[in-house]
Amino acid sequence: MPPSLKQPPAAERVYAHVKQAVLERRYEGGTLLTEGELAEAVGVSRTPVREALLKLEVEGLLRLYPKKGALVLPVSAQEIADVVETRLLVETHSVRKAVPAPAGLLDRLTELLERQREQAAAGDLAAAAVTDRCFHAEIVRSGGNDILSRLYDQLRDRQLRMGVAVMHSHPDRIAKTLAEHEEILAALTAEDAEAAVDVVTRHVGWFQNLARGAAR
């Protein structure tokens, strides 16, 4: 088999399968996963399953129980609060710094907004959550601070999982998200830094609703 067609190692395939399912809530918080079920689902032996589960436990997505399996950890209220606090610090700074907008930023945000609108219309909530995250990451990256961008990237998995949870539990929220993204883009286009900061603060701060009882 040519190198380009080789499958990734078995443990990597299990890791990718489980992580994607957790982030997209196909494996919801509280679900108990067994090695045998995962081995069968991915088509591998149990040894690489154990390796993958250990890695996911280190990342805080699972908790392993010997001879029982792995429990998918629910998103906690504290985790939501921590993510929101960090996002507000990074994103309000970044959106203020994005005025005036660097070359190409407004075009990229317009493209992402349109993509998210199409995904929402098609009911693809997982894809819409990914694009949502990309929209905000694009603004952070536009500042040219690699350290800040890497810090923000560390939130990626938590953001995606929270984003999908929000869209499932609050189906009306996707329309509001799109409207607020339009407001952010309009403020950046108008070179109104304070308006952009106000929208980002309102947009990201809304996730505190999950920490007040909607965590799952």
Side-chain angles (χ1 to χ4, degrees):
M1 181 180 293
S4 60
L5 298 180
K6 283 184 179 178
Q7 283 192 319
E12 288 185 20
R13 300 206 307 276
V14 177
Y15 171 84
H17 168 82
V18 176
K19 185 169 186 175
Q20 194 70 21
V22 170
L23 295 182
E24 294 181 358
R25 292 180 75 248
R26 286 181 281 116
Y27 294 154
E28 296 195 36
T31 301
L32 185 66
L33 308 174
T34 68
E35 291 181 2
E37 290 170 342
L38 293 175
E40 184 176 350
V42 184
V44 298
S45 68
R46 293 193 180 199
T47 300
V49 171
R50 294 189 194 102
E51 183 181 337
L53 294 180
L54 284 168
K55 185 176 180 181
L56 289 163
E57 183 179 45
V58 170
E59 294 182 8
L61 294 177
L62 308 175
R63 178 172 295 139
L64 299 187
Y65 291 92
K67 300 182 180 179
K68 292 184 178 180
L71 183 71
V72 179
L73 294 177
V75 180
S76 70
Q78 185 60 54
E79 180 180 1
I80 294 169
D82 291 347
V83 169
V84 169
E85 182 179 15
T86 306
R87 284 190 63 184
L88 284 173
L89 287 170
V90 174
E91 292 189 40
T92 54
H93 167 79
S94 298
V95 80
R96 181 177 281 113
K97 192 175 179 181
V99 175
L105 176 62
L106 299 180
D107 288 341
R108 290 193 295 274
L109 294 180
T110 300
E111 179 185 337
L112 288 167
L113 179 57
E114 183 57 34
R115 183 189 306 167
Q116 189 180 22
R117 190 178 287 114
E118 292 171 356
Q119 291 163 338
D124 192 344
L125 301 184
V130 171
T131 305
D132 181 287
R133 196 266 168 193
C134 290
F135 183 94
H136 293 276
E138 197 68 50
I139 296 172
V140 175
R141 279 195 298 270
S142 75
N145 186 325
D146 289 341
I147 295 175
L148 204 60
S149 293
R150 284 197 294 272
L151 170 64
Y152 191 75
D153 284 344
Q154 291 175 13
L155 300 176
R156 177 183 179 277
D157 291 346
R158 290 181 171 87
Q159 282 181 256
L160 292 179
R161 195 176 180 202
M162 288 167 53
V164 175
V166 164
M167 291 180 192
H168 278 280
S169 58
H170 301 272
D172 59 328
R173 180 61 195 173
I174 183 63
K176 188 67 174 173
T177 293
L178 290 167
E180 288 169 352
H181 282 184
E182 289 175 358
E183 288 185 64
I184 294 169
L185 180 56
L188 291 176
T189 301
E191 298 189 358
D192 189 338
E194 293 312 310
V197 169
D198 286 346
V199 181
V200 167
T201 300
R202 172 164 35 95
H203 179 68
V204 176
W206 184 89
F207 278 85
Q208 290 288 13
N209 291 339
L210 290 182
R212 298 189 187 106
R216 60 191 60 202

